[in-house]
């Protein structure tokens, strides 16, 4: 009932919640669509979007963020490595 009221009233979701939902949708789509591909085609776009979001809060070099998808048996792990600048450079 509360979610229905939120929908009707146009209540905004938190940014982290929206990002998490988008990532879950992307991963679910990729799992169902192309099981044999080496690297999913969404990773470069995901990396660009992550740089854009993080740059709102911390100045980072786009080359300091790496996104990688590893597959081991039936497990997929999305790894995001972010090198943050020293506190003095922020």
């Amino acid at each position: 009932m509360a979610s229905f009221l939120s929908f009707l009233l146009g209540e905004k979701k938190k940014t982290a919640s929206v990002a998490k939902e988008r990532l879950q949708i992307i991963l679910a789509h990729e799992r169902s669509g192309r099981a044999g591909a080496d690297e999913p085609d969404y990773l470069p776009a995901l990396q660009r979007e992550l740089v854009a979001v993080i740059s709102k809060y911390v100045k980072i070099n786009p080359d300091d963020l790496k996104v990688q998808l590893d597959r081991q048996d039936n497990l997929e792990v999305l790894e995001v490595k972010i090198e943050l600048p020293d506190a003095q450079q922020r």
Side-chain angles (χ1 to χ4, degrees):
M1 180 70 170
S3 62
F4 181 70
L5 288 175
S6 296
F7 174 76
L8 288 178
L9 298 175
E11 183 177 319
K12 291 189 175 185
K13 292 184 177 184
K14 301 225 182 282
T15 304
S17 174
V18 172
K20 181 180 175 183
E21 288 176 14
R22 287 180 182 166
L23 186 56
Q24 288 173 338
I25 291 169
I26 290 171
L27 290 175
H29 180 274
E30 285 300 315
R31 285 183 186 142
S32 66
R34 298 176 15 259
D38 288 341
E39 182 176 305
D41 57 355
Y42 66 85
L43 287 182
L46 178 61
Q47 184 167 343
R48 286 189 302 272
E49 289 181 26
L50 286 170
V51 167
V53 170
I54 293 168
S55 294
K56 290 180 181 180
Y57 304 96
V58 179
K59 183 178 178 183
I60 64 168
N61 182 342
D63 296 330
D64 291 339
L65 187 138
K66 304 290 182 211
V67 177
Q68 180 177 335
L69 183 66
D70 293 325
R71 291 184 176 97
Q72 299 171 348
D73 299 324
N74 293 333
L75 181 66
E76 291 183 335
V77 177
L78 181 65
E79 183 178 6
V80 179
K81 294 182 181 178
I82 305 167
E83 186 176 326
L84 296 174
D86 293 333
Q88 301 163 357
Q89 296 176 356
R90 292 184 193 171

